[in-house]
Amino acid sequence: MRSVPIRTVLIRTLPMSRPGILKPSRVFLAAFVVFFGLSACWSMATPLFAPPDETSHLVKAAATVRGEINGKKGYVLEGGIEQPTRIYRVPSAYGVDVFPCYNWNTRLTPACDKKVKRDQRLLKGHGSVSMWTTAGHYNPFYYALVGWPSLMFKGVGGMYLIRLMSALISSLLLAGAVAIVAGWRRPGFILAGVVTAATPMVLFLNGVVNPNGIEASSALLAWVAALSLALQPDERRLRTRVIAFVVAAAVLVNVRPLGYEWLAAILAVSMLAANKGVVSALLRHRTARRSLAVASPAFLFGLFWTLGNGDNAKTPHNHADAFVPAAHATLNAMQWHIEDMIGMFGFEDTMATYDIWIGAAVLLTLVGVALGTRRTSAALLAMAVGVVLIPLLAQGFEAKHVGMAWQGRYLLAFAVGLPILAGAVLASRAERLGLPRWVDYRMALTLSIVLACADFAGFFRALRRYMVGMNGRLLLEPITWQPPGGWPLWVSLYAVVLGLYVALVLWPTRAALAMFPDRTAASAPGITRPRTSASVERQGA
């Protein structure tokens, strides 16, 4: 059987040499500023040690950059479960449990802990202490990237800088995804999917010290790059997309134990949805082979580390939870798991406005299934089933080792692909179905504005919970805790950056509308097609 030539499969969609097309570097820079601004606001507006497991991850980061990779083995009792730990020697600030009193008690604020004044000397980083962490088995890659500020600033300032480093790296990955989407012929639909996938929980985790954030962001980039190659191949953008996918995949498999499982899911879904002949053509392409060869040490390191260290949650003691009862309990808690993927801030005690995100994801998925091909519809349905089925299987099989430990955010790396796939299906099918361009513009505009408003509400709700408690006054009086710089600074900055976020989503969509107009676009109410040099040339011709 003859193979399909690469040039036959990799169609050219948006020639970069034509006037009026956005430069990917400009889109990338703008997207990075937006995502870093949002994530940095979470970094500064969230009390230290308030996010889930941040104490353990800070200890691991401070130890890793000081050359302590494995530490000493130990165990600690958490929630009635004996958890394996590693013990490291770290600066004293990383050995202080500063704000435990308000976790899971939303009436209290960080001001409730009377130990703060007594531990001020330790918080400044004087001396060193031995401290345990449940993240000791995790791959050191993430911690080596973000932990280096602790070498220069041993106290609280170093902790905030570690957060900002995590926000910076995650924002680079998200910016890469937006830059790739900007090269689509119909970017509005898939941008709507990216906005839906980048939930407040993703931005929150990006802004704190937790590898779950960079895992979700790298997976989001991997989804976008893989689906761009599969559903709208473009020979001129092939090299950028392949490199982006390989980089994202290499990061994904080196941050958390389930990285290879998520990468396998991304590849399987993308191949199922791919246009005919694309997969075999990509495997023969020189860029793909070279990129995989260059990145192979990173993939091998992640594989050997995972096989050699195993899941950090494993314990030598069995629990009584059997598969069926554990899976049934997980199914009953499915709403909570979904809410956790959308926005469960602090120590998972403050929720965002999750109904809007669920509605957006369901809308995109249903429309994608209705308008997609058999292959893409099957891929969407498989992902929707996977969002429900994966937690059931994971918790059912692991309950006897770790108890009921599954959390919704663990599935983010997989779940972010559902709205992105739906948007990619619509973007690849729009012209064949004759959908006017103002449809994807309106969808991107509506979803970005609605979700931005919900995002702001979640940010303000979380900040209010720390300042006055959930039962406090809406006007934030009297305030018992404030973030560095005061709450008006971060609330105002978050609102401004969200406005830029909406503009970022509409920018590539309007550029594509100007470059490839259709007869119905001009008649769409409220849309004025911008004039570019390319459109002037067409009118003159």
Side-chain angles (χ1 to χ4, degrees), residues 242 282-294:
V242 168
L282 287 173
L283 292 176
R284 297 194 314 273
H285 201 275
R286 180 174 56 184
T287 300
R289 294 198 302 268
R290 286 183 176 179
S291 299
L292 289 174
V294 170

Side-chain angles (χ1 to χ4, degrees), residues 14-25:
L14 284 177
M16 299 178 68
S17 59
R18 292 183 67 176
I21 296 300
L22 296 176
K23 291 184 177 180
S25 58

Side-chain angles (χ1 to χ4, degrees), residues 42 195-205 334-345 348 350-362 387 407-412 415-416 419 451 454-455 458-459 494:
W42 281 109
V195 170
T196 305
T199 64
M201 193 64 177
V202 173
L203 300 176
F204 167 72
L205 291 171
M334 189 57 62
Q335 180 179 347
W336 184 86
H337 293 316
I338 294 175
E339 293 169 5
D340 194 31
M341 288 190 288
I342 296 171
M344 194 79 74
F345 312 123
E348 300 184 331
T350 306
M351 291 185 295
T353 309
Y354 56 87
D355 292 341
I356 296 177
W357 258 271
I358 294 176
V362 169
V387 170
Q407 298 179 38
R409 57 189 173 91
Y410 297 162
L411 191 65
L412 270 173
V416 295
L451 294 181
D455 197 340
F459 180 80
Y494 203 77

Side-chain angles (χ1 to χ4, degrees), residues 104-123:
W104 297 300
N105 190 343
T106 57
R107 296 177 302 170
L108 301 178
T109 72
C112 68
D113 200 322
K114 304 302 181 183
K115 294 190 302 180
V116 175
K117 293 182 179 180
R118 185 171 70 249
D119 290 338
Q120 283 301 311
R121 182 182 65 84
L122 295 178
L123 287 173

Side-chain angles (χ1 to χ4, degrees), residues 43-125:
S43 298
M44 303 307 297
T46 305
L48 288 173
F49 311 132
D53 305 321
E54 189 173 50
T55 302
S56 287
H57 296 303
L58 280 168
V59 170
K60 174 72 172 178
T64 298
V65 296
R66 287 168 172 79
E68 290 195 58
I69 304 300
N70 291 320
K72 299 179 180 179
K73 293 183 179 181
Y75 288 92
V76 64
L77 192 65
E78 281 193 344
I81 299 174
E82 198 174 37
Q83 298 279 7
T85 65
R86 294 296 174 95
I87 302 172
Y88 299 96
R89 196 72 183 175
V90 292
S92 59
Y94 296 84
V96 179
D97 192 9
V98 184
F99 304 130
C101 59
Y102 64 88
N103 288 343
W104 297 300
N105 190 343
T106 57
R107 296 177 302 170
L108 301 178
T109 72
C112 68
D113 200 322
K114 304 302 181 183
K115 294 190 302 180
V116 175
K117 293 182 179 180
R118 185 171 70 249
D119 290 338
Q120 283 301 311
R121 182 182 65 84
L122 295 178
L123 287 173
K124 293 179 181 178

